[in-house]
Amino acid sequence: MGEISMATSSRKKEPGRTKLTVGASRRSARLARKKVDETRLRRLVEEATVDAHGESEQRVGFLTMIQDHVDVPFETEVLDVPVQVIGIDLDDAEEIVATCKRGARVQRIPVLDLPVPQPTPKGFEWIEAYRFFRRGGG
């Protein structure tokens, strides 16, 4: 799969792989996010994890809800470059990732690092609920 060539990480690289570093810091990205009511986020977390036993099942519960409710494709910017999010899935490390496309190039980035698009697509609150959950909420 091709990759969006925008930046490389300073981490040790695997041969043939480039790690995409998402532009804004997590703190500034949080400040720019549209606020979803914490009570609503807790309800979404409960809905996604109600039958889950363990971390892997919780992640799959969120993936299912995100895939069912978030309208794709949608556009956002990664490192100030417009990209189209064409799908959301698990990668080989079982991390929820967004598949981003620009022209013929494709790059998968963790949804936790996905910049919030403006306007937000229908169902984006599920990604916010996953972020909330991963920060220890719910």
Side-chain angles (χ1 to χ4, degrees), residues 73-114:
F74 63 86
E75 293 192 13
T76 191
E77 288 188 358
V78 176
L79 295 173
D80 297 323
V81 176
V83 297
Q84 186 176 49
V85 175
I86 59 172
I88 299 174
D89 210 340
L90 291 177
D91 65 7
D92 293 338
E94 293 191 10
E95 186 173 20
I96 300 175
V97 293
T99 303
C100 301
K101 182 176 182 187
R102 179 165 189 236
R105 296 179 178 190
V106 176
Q107 174 75 42
R108 295 168 75 179
I109 65 169
V111 295
L112 296 174
D113 294 332
L114 188 67

Side-chain angles (χ1 to χ4, degrees), residues 42-63:
R42 289 183 189 282
R43 278 191 232 129
L44 295 174
V45 168
E46 175 64 24
E47 189 175 341
T49 62
V50 67
D51 293 324
H53 302 286
E55 185 178 326
S56 180
E57 289 184 18
Q58 291 169 337
R59 189 171 23 260
V60 170
F62 274 105
L63 173 64

